[in-house]
Amino acid sequence: MTGPHICLIEDDPIMGESLVERFQLEGFKVDWYRGAYAAQTAIQANDYAVVLSDVRLADLDGDALYMQMLQDGYCLPPFILMTAYATVERAVNMLKLGVRDYVTKPFDLPRLVETVRELTDNHDVNAHVSDENILGVSAAAQELARLVPRIAGRASSVLITGESGVGKEVLARLIHRRADSSNTERPFVAVNCGAVAPTLAEAEFFGFERGAFTGADKQKRGYLEQANGGTLFLDEVGELSLPLQATLLRSIQEKRIRRIGAEQDIATQFDLVCATNRDLESMVKERLFREDLYYRINVVALHVKPLRDRPEDVNWLAQRFISAMAQRLNESPKSLHPLTRLRLQEYSWPGNIRELHNRIEHACLVSANPVLLPNDIFSSDWQRTAPQHSPFPGEDAALNTYQDACERLYIEDMLMRHEGHISETAKALKISRKNLWEKMKRHNIESTRLVVKKQSTQDDRIGV
């Protein structure tokens, strides 16, 4: 059985190899990175139980990496910093900022192993993914995440629109969690309106008393009553029948419901979040959806863009799904070949996140390779669905075509790691600023689609 998954950041090859060997012998699964920026990308994409980092690194110090990710809003796994140049003041400051331990080289290796083991005992899956980043890393996803605290628990109703499979329920659950800062368990009642049989809809939504009709051998609470004190999430709200829309509108406005067969109303209070992939405005014009109910549920409207319009989220989500699959199967996580990552971004994703999850799960189960190649995820359907304006090179393309594709991906990745700083990116790539600009122009790299963090006022920032 695969043990706890930890991230090691150490640029000394002898020290790194020694630590990897020891932790693997102790039953840990170890990902070893020699640079801070490579580790930063991995920490965002994987569910590490502990991060063990050297302080002095070639590209960015380990404590600076911790501070940078902390300031960017990431809820980090436990960090342990290692250094041969420790000062009491520096150690105390880092411990105050949340670092779990600060060890000085040469250290007691058995004691370090025991410390890591204690930290991994109660590790929760995906616990380090903050609410800010759970929707994705694209600008569109981040904008939605910034709006959530403003409306959660304050708006009387929220309408989420978007294509099927874009993650509308994920956003609804995030709004539910942020509506109450206390630790109390508030109910979240999710209802797929399209799956409720019309003949049973009233009983399902409002409940019934014992003996109210044939087969009602016991009392049952409906969805609206079950959601009391929490959130009622009506998915595919456009599928509701017109008679049920009228009854539902009254209950939402009056905050009262009456079970079938009951003589008294019951007060109920809940946050209402609705979602749909249909055009409700057009349905209102066609008299397929009540106008008064539409305005009642559309106090705040949030639109979740399709995955094809936020390519920055594709590889991030793919890495999340790969990590989750590896943990479920007790296997080492597979990695994505650079060409696979390019194809993931170029694909149109008609099924959105749901399709991405399906393809990644299939590839992880079927492929015996540790690295997922394009054919593991895509078959002949790729050439039919690839965008015509930006075709991906076919399997028989020339070597330089593939090299150009990989170069474009690597430059985009490095720009995102360095938050759009031209000087830092050029330095990391070991090329001049002018050379980088020329390559960006040649590859048609759009800066506004890469910078997803807060904009800086520095002249060196892309897009300024």
Side-chain angles (χ1 to χ4, degrees):
M1 180 175 177
T2 304
H5 195 186
I6 66 174
C7 175
L8 172 65
I9 314 172
E10 173 60 72
D11 57 0
D12 185 292
I14 297 176
M15 175 65 73
E17 186 174 352
S18 175
L19 288 171
V20 169
E21 182 178 352
R22 178 57 185 268
F23 276 101
Q24 287 180 340
L25 287 172
E26 295 287 342
F28 292 89
K29 181 169 61 175
V30 186
D31 287 351
W32 176 20
Y33 298 94
R34 292 166 175 78
Y37 290 118
Q40 181 180 18
T41 302
I43 293 169
Q44 294 171 12
N46 295 283
D47 181 40
Y48 292 119
V50 170
V51 176
L52 186 61
S53 176
D54 191 10
V55 169
R56 293 212 171 175
L57 299 167
D59 51 355
L60 181 71
D61 285 351
D63 51 0
L65 169 65
Y66 175 82
M67 287 298 301
Q68 178 176 306
M69 296 192 72
L70 200 65
Q71 292 169 358
D72 286 344
Y74 292 101
C75 185
L76 298 172
F79 254 71
I80 298 177
L81 295 175
M82 309 174 294
T83 182
Y85 308 95
T87 65
V88 174
E89 182 180 4
R90 189 176 191 182
V92 170
N93 288 338
M94 292 309 299
L95 290 171
K96 286 181 178 179
L97 291 170
V99 170
R100 294 301 181 91
D101 207 348
Y102 201 95
V103 297
T104 305
K105 299 177 182 178
F107 43 73
D108 184 341
L109 189 51
R111 183 178 177 182
L112 178 61
V113 171
E114 187 60 31
T115 299
V116 172
R117 193 177 299 282
E118 290 175 0
L119 291 173
T120 60
D121 280 345
N122 298 317
H123 173 61
D124 293 327
V125 178
N126 296 331
H128 72 279
V129 181
S130 69
D131 281 348
E132 180 184 352
N133 298 297
I134 200 169
L135 300 176
V137 295
S138 66
Q142 294 284 299
E143 179 60 28
L144 283 176
R146 282 191 288 269
L147 287 173
V148 168
R150 294 288 305 163
I151 64 175
R154 304 175 67 192
S156 57
S157 60
V158 178
L159 177 61
I160 304 174
T161 60
E163 296 178 5
S164 179
V166 294
K168 296 189 290 293
E169 184 168 345
V170 174
L171 177 56
R173 290 184 179 274
L174 177 58
I175 293 171
H176 167 72
R177 287 199 303 273
R178 295 300 297 268
D180 188 0
S181 59
S182 69
N183 294 321
T184 57
E185 287 293 330
R186 301 167 59 250
F188 180 87
V189 179
V191 182
N192 184 341
C193 299
V196 180
T199 55
L200 301 176
E202 188 175 356
E204 293 291 342
F205 276 89
F206 303 102
F208 52 83
E209 297 288 346
R210 179 180 178 182
F213 49 82
T214 303
D217 55 353
K218 61 180 180 180
Q219 183 190 82
K220 179 181 178 179
R221 296 188 307 152
Y223 297 137
L224 277 70
E225 190 175 350
Q226 294 173 33
N228 187 39
T231 300
L232 176 64
F233 174 54
L234 300 182
D235 196 10
E236 303 307 338
V237 69
E239 305 299 324
L240 290 172
S241 66
L242 286 170
L244 186 58
Q245 290 178 31
T247 311
L248 189 62
L249 174 63
R250 182 183 180 91
S251 297
I252 293 173
Q253 287 179 334
E254 297 181 0
K255 305 295 184 183
R256 304 184 71 84
I257 60 104
R258 180 176 295 189
R259 298 178 188 147
I260 298 175
E263 296 180 353
Q264 302 272 335
D265 287 347
I266 300 173
T268 181
Q269 183 73 37
F270 51 80
D271 296 331
L272 180 64
V273 181
C274 300
T276 183
N277 60 7
R278 302 184 65 178
D279 185 349
L280 293 187
E281 283 194 47
S282 296
M283 292 181 66
V284 169
K285 293 176 182 178
E286 296 170 7
R287 299 186 181 277
L288 297 175
F289 199 87
R290 291 181 62 100
E291 184 178 22
D292 46 7
L293 179 59
Y294 172 68
Y295 288 117
R296 182 64 188 80
I297 66 176
N298 191 24
V299 175
V300 176
L302 302 178
H303 180 68
V304 184
K305 290 186 176 181
L307 198 54
R308 62 181 173 274
D309 290 342
R310 42 192 179 107
E312 303 92 341
D313 288 334
V314 175
N315 285 310
W316 183 85
L317 288 166
Q319 291 290 351
R320 300 289 311 160
F321 297 151
I322 288 172
S323 298
M325 280 296 295
Q327 189 164 44
R328 179 163 73 85
L329 300 174
N330 291 321
E331 296 176 350
S332 297
K334 298 180 185 296
S335 59
L336 295 169
H337 190 276
L339 296 181
T340 308
R341 296 178 63 195
L342 274 172
R343 287 201 173 184
L344 288 172
Q345 288 192 320
E346 296 288 351
Y347 184 60
S348 61
W349 297 111
N352 290 296
I353 297 175
R354 190 175 293 122
E355 181 186 0
L356 174 63
H357 185 275
N358 177 276
R359 287 181 179 268
I360 293 295
E361 183 175 5
H362 173 83
C364 289
L365 289 171
V366 174
S367 176
N369 300 320
V371 178
L372 296 178
L373 300 173
N375 286 342
D376 293 324
I377 297 176
F378 298 103
S379 55
S380 59
D381 63 346
W382 162 252
Q383 295 299 335
R384 294 195 303 270
T385 55
Q388 297 301 311
H389 66 279
S390 181
F392 188 83
E395 300 298 339
D396 57 349
L399 176 61
N400 64 339
T401 305
Y402 276 105
Q403 288 176 327
D404 284 345
C406 291
E407 183 179 70
R408 175 167 66 95
L409 174 67
Y410 190 57
I411 291 174
E412 288 179 345
D413 184 60
M414 293 300 288
L415 282 166
M416 285 190 286
R417 288 190 201 180
H418 295 278
E419 300 182 15
H421 288 286
I422 291 295
S423 295
E424 293 180 10
T425 304
K427 183 178 179 181
L429 293 171
K430 295 181 173 58
I431 60 177
S432 68
R433 284 168 50 97
K434 180 182 178 182
N435 196 356
L436 176 55
W437 277 114
E438 290 173 347
K439 289 180 181 292
M440 289 173 62
K441 184 177 180 180
R442 180 164 62 88
H443 292 302
N444 195 27
I445 296 175
E446 298 179 16
S447 60
T448 56
R449 301 183 67 181
L450 294 175
V451 182
V452 298
K453 303 295 182 183
K454 291 188 298 185
Q455 295 296 315
S456 169
T457 57
Q458 299 182 26
D459 294 339
D460 190 42
R461 174 71 79 185
I462 292 180
V464 175

